[in-house]
Amino acid sequence: MKKKQLEILLERLESFLHPTPEREQYSTPAVVAAFLLHLAYLRGDLEGKNVCDLGCGTGVLAIGAALLGARAVGVEIDPEALRVARKNASKLGVDVDFILGDVGPICLKNVDTVVMNPPFGSQKASQGDRAFLRKAIQVATSVYSLHNLGSEGFIRRFVEPCKVEEIYKVPFPLRRCFEFHNEDVRIIEVELYRISCQPRS
Ligand code: SAH
């Protein structure tokens, strides 16, 4: 499937009904999700692979991975978001396992690839992206993850001995979804990381 086709399909998905800033519930826009997933597809990390979306929200990354031939699982702490995710998966006719849980303690097995847009840690109550990164490199051999601009130093150190293989600056259209946003759409830039880890024996 072409990247543009994937983007058009993902645009049909519903977003959070009542996003909470404390959990940094920003859905990944279809254009950004398609970019991340297309890259993972080209690197051989989706088709026929076990893919996990940590903090899957309303499911865009897990559903997109399934559309590209992955066996996809999404983990999310918010039951309301998961209800929307399940509806979204059936809307596009894909099978995704959605699990209600906290990415910190959850036990995940046989994961090849993690795709994720973790909380960036810009809201005080959030534990930020550390628990997500820790889990991702613990369970997967390939990780695709979105982060704030300027995270490179922190991420390279944090994921060691895993390696940051690629970094892309990606425009991220942020729609107005919280009271404190004062523009309808603001384009920010985020960084997409591709991280690889040695398979554990
Ligand atoms: N992956 C989705 C949502 C990104 S927003 C997308 O790309 O559109 C980050 C998500 O992480 C939110 O849905 C939030 O509820 C979830 N989250 C935050 N802390 C979590 C935790 N400890 N365990 C599981 N999910 C968590």
Side-chain angles (χ1 to χ4, degrees), residues 15-16 20 22-29 33 53-62 75-78 81 99-105 115-120 126-128 131-132 146 172:
S15 187
F16 294 99
T20 59
E22 297 74 28
R23 290 203 179 124
E24 297 186 41
Q25 292 185 319
Y26 300 96
S27 304
T28 306
D53 176 356
L54 296 179
C56 66
T58 53
V60 61
L61 295 176
V75 177
E76 169 59 48
I77 205 164
D78 175 3
I99 303 171
L100 182 63
D102 183 332
V103 303
V115 290
M116 63 181 188
N117 176 11
F120 289 176
S126 160
Q127 57 180 328
F132 283 70
L146 294 165
F172 188 106

